[in-house]
Amino acid sequence: MKANFVKPYSSPEQIVQILKSRGMLIENEHKAASYLMNIGYHRLSAYIYPFYKSPKNDLSLKEGTKFEEVLTLYRFDKKLRILLFNEIEKIEIAIRSVLANIGCQELNDKYWITEAAYFANTDKFNQTLSIIDKELISSKEDYIEEFRQNFIETYPPAWMKTEVLSFGNLNYIYSNISKNQLMKHIAGYFGLKPQVFTSWLTVLANLRNMCCHHARVWNRNFMLNPAEPRKTVNAWIDTTTTDKKRIYYRLCIIRHFLASVSPNNNFNQKLSNLLADFPSIDITAMGFCRNWKEESLWK
């Protein structure tokens, strides 16, 4: 049975006192209240949670817990999200281009994305077409406007359409392709099999959305469980002791994609630098294994 939400509102100043009563050391109460006003206690509470003693419901903080430690965790997660978003962007852009290019080459049809004959499920295709229609109508991109004004075709070619669709829409299109050989060629460009490619696109789209909406990612137990590749063209990891629902596995997925998309990338160094800048971060809570740097993927 549902109950009324009776928890009262507490001002940032009141929350400072509540945190102090739970054992938090706060050097500058006015500054802490300012952070709570600008970040919000509800958001910041996710970064306070790791500092509570067990059982967590007692809301008693570990001895010596400082407000500044909570902010450090918050800042690390923010920088991690920025790093993730920038790298996923490279992968997303490549997938847009590869999907359009290989589809046009294989099918010899530059309008293939809006042709039902190339897709397995009619209902799924119609849903995709409806999304494409909405995106094209609302698009203010110059090249879409120019196409509308100068050409008689109902839809622009594939390489234009893929640019106005979301990451999730691209995966929806890919997973409905009827020609197995085309699916293999697209996934194979990234050194993967279609089933794993579809799974990893879903995982990256979900992670990208979390980064866009500033959600906590560093120690999250993700709901999606990525498919495990049996064999990869590019270097991969020993997954026998790896938690696939933690951020480390997703970092490995990004690293694997970048081997195809940007072979000379410096993602390894960026990640190592970020971890070095925040030595207090518990990387085991992120799913990192003790010898992760010795994996061939990260060398």
Side-chain angles (χ1 to χ4, degrees), residues 110-111 114 136 143-144 147 153-161:
K110 59 180 176 287
Y111 302 110
T114 44
L136 290 174
Y143 58 86
I144 297 296
F147 186 87
E153 284 81 4
T154 304
Y155 295 105
W159 58 86
M160 291 187 191
K161 285 194 285 280

Side-chain angles (χ1 to χ4, degrees), residues 28-47:
N28 187 324
E29 293 185 18
H30 176 74
K31 193 173 181 179
S34 179
Y35 276 116
L36 287 164
M37 173 62 83
N38 290 308
I39 298 173
Y41 172 70
H42 183 71
R43 177 178 293 276
L44 207 56
S45 64
Y47 303 93

Side-chain angles (χ1 to χ4, degrees), residues 68-92:
E68 188 59 39
E69 291 178 302
V70 175
L71 289 180
T72 296
L73 201 51
Y74 174 79
R75 291 173 183 133
F76 169 74
D77 196 40
K78 177 181 178 180
K79 289 181 179 291
L80 177 62
R81 287 196 305 272
I82 292 170
L83 173 62
L84 293 171
F85 184 80
N86 286 340
E87 301 307 316
I88 291 173
E89 178 187 31
K90 299 173 187 176
I91 298 166
E92 180 181 350

Side-chain angles (χ1 to χ4, degrees), residues 82-144:
I82 292 170
L83 173 62
L84 293 171
F85 184 80
N86 286 340
E87 301 307 316
I88 291 173
E89 178 187 31
K90 299 173 187 176
I91 298 166
E92 180 181 350
I93 289 172
I95 289 169
R96 291 178 188 278
S97 181
V98 170
L99 183 69
N101 274 285
I102 294 182
C104 289
Q105 292 167 12
E106 290 271 325
L107 302 172
N108 194 29
D109 185 347
K110 59 180 176 287
Y111 302 110
W112 70 273
I113 287 177
T114 44
E115 294 294 336
Y118 302 124
F119 296 93
N121 186 295
T122 303
D123 289 339
K124 199 172 180 180
F125 169 77
N126 288 333
Q127 290 176 36
T128 303
L129 199 61
S130 178
I131 291 169
I132 291 172
D133 288 336
K134 289 177 182 177
E135 293 297 332
L136 290 174
I137 289 170
S138 62
S139 177
K140 303 301 179 186
E141 294 288 351
D142 291 343
Y143 58 86
I144 297 296

